[in-house]
Amino acid sequence: MGKIVCLMGKSSSGKDTIYKRLLEQDIIKLCKIIPYTTRPIRAGERDGVEYFFTDEAGYQELLQKGGIIESRKYHTCHGIWRYFTVAGEKMDLSESSYLLIGTLETYEQVSRFYGKEKVLPVMIELDDGERLQRALDREKVQDSPRYEEMCRRFLADSEDFSSEKLAAAGITQTFNNDDLEKCLLKIIDYLKAYDV
């Protein structure tokens, strides 16, 4: 029986890099679930690779069709940005395991939709100073840097991923990303223990 691996972590903790590296592994086989967002595309991103980029009308249309598994909205400095997961027509947990990037809300909503026994949480951690520097470096290369939004997200993460919320969601194991290769090996061992 396949699993949905829900990769979570505060902004700039290295989730995108770990996501890509996990998909490249031969020892575990994961199919990707590409989330949707209404936020503007960043430099270096491609539609249908990191996210499917849409607008509010596209979100509302999918919502009306009943295709949204989970959804989050953020009141940013640039208006409301939504991130959401759409039920995939080709997703078959009897055949494959899947990898999804999200938040604690994503994990909880996907667990309610599919059943908690089918969803494995992978919570990435990184020192706040390192995360802040990574976020700043990433924002500097954008065509229109959004520093105010970067700061808002950084501060919001403290509440969104508080130890109380992690405990309430039943997440007891985390993976520190201060060394990417060691972090990947620990995650792979964890996933193999659940037959992923």
Side-chain angles (χ1 to χ4, degrees):
M1 180 63 76
K3 304 281 188 189
I4 297 172
V5 178
C6 188
L7 186 62
M8 300 169 282
K10 295 176 181 177
S11 58
S12 301
S13 60
K15 297 183 301 293
D16 289 334
T17 301
I18 290 171
Y19 177 84
K20 289 172 187 168
R21 293 287 301 274
L22 286 173
L23 289 172
E24 294 169 353
Q25 299 299 312
D26 290 327
I27 196 163
I28 55 172
K29 295 290 184 194
L30 293 167
C31 302
K32 61 182 173 179
I33 299 173
I34 302 172
Y36 286 64
T37 185
T38 62
R39 76 152 166 78
I41 193 167
R42 292 180 182 142
E45 289 181 327
R46 293 169 291 158
D47 187 38
V49 178
E50 292 83 9
Y51 292 94
F52 288 111
F53 292 91
T54 188
D55 55 15
E56 184 64 21
Y59 169 81
Q60 292 299 331
E61 182 179 334
L62 287 164
L63 186 63
Q64 292 296 321
K65 291 179 179 175
I68 295 179
I69 295 171
E70 63 83 26
S71 173
R72 296 147 276 138
K73 82 175 174 183
Y74 299 98
H75 296 274
T76 75
C77 303
H78 305 282
I80 293 176
W81 289 353
R82 296 184 189 272
Y83 292 81
F84 53 101
T85 306
V86 175
E89 297 170 8
K90 298 179 183 175
M91 195 166 136
D92 184 355
L93 286 173
S94 68
E95 297 288 327
S96 303
S97 289
Y98 295 83
L99 181 60
L100 170 69
I101 291 181
T103 64
L104 196 53
E105 286 178 273
T106 303
Y107 169 68
E108 292 174 323
Q109 291 179 46
V110 170
S111 293
R112 279 194 294 274
F113 189 87
Y114 287 104
K116 201 159 192 168
E117 71 284 355
K118 294 179 183 171
V119 185
L120 292 176
V122 175
M123 176 67 192
I124 306 301
E125 291 191 323
L126 184 65
D127 171 73
D128 283 346
E130 180 67 23
R131 284 193 318 103
L132 185 57
Q133 186 61 57
R134 287 182 183 183
L136 184 58
D137 291 344
R138 180 174 69 187
E139 206 58 41
K140 281 181 182 179
V141 300
Q142 302 303 311
D143 291 336
S144 300
R146 294 180 165 96
Y147 296 115
E148 189 177 356
E149 177 56 22
M150 179 200 80
C151 293
R152 185 207 63 79
R153 285 183 63 201
F154 188 86
L155 294 173
D157 280 342
S158 294
E159 182 180 334
D160 293 344
F161 290 102
S162 69
S163 56
E164 295 82 12
K165 287 186 177 180
L166 290 174
I171 297 173
T172 57
Q173 184 170 3
T174 61
F175 301 89
N176 193 307
N177 190 22
D178 59 354
D179 181 313
L180 176 61
E181 298 306 321
K182 287 181 182 175
C183 183
L184 276 169
L185 288 173
K186 288 179 182 178
I187 293 170
I188 290 167
D189 286 345
Y190 165 75
L191 297 179
K192 284 168 51 182
Y194 286 93
D195 298 321
V196 171

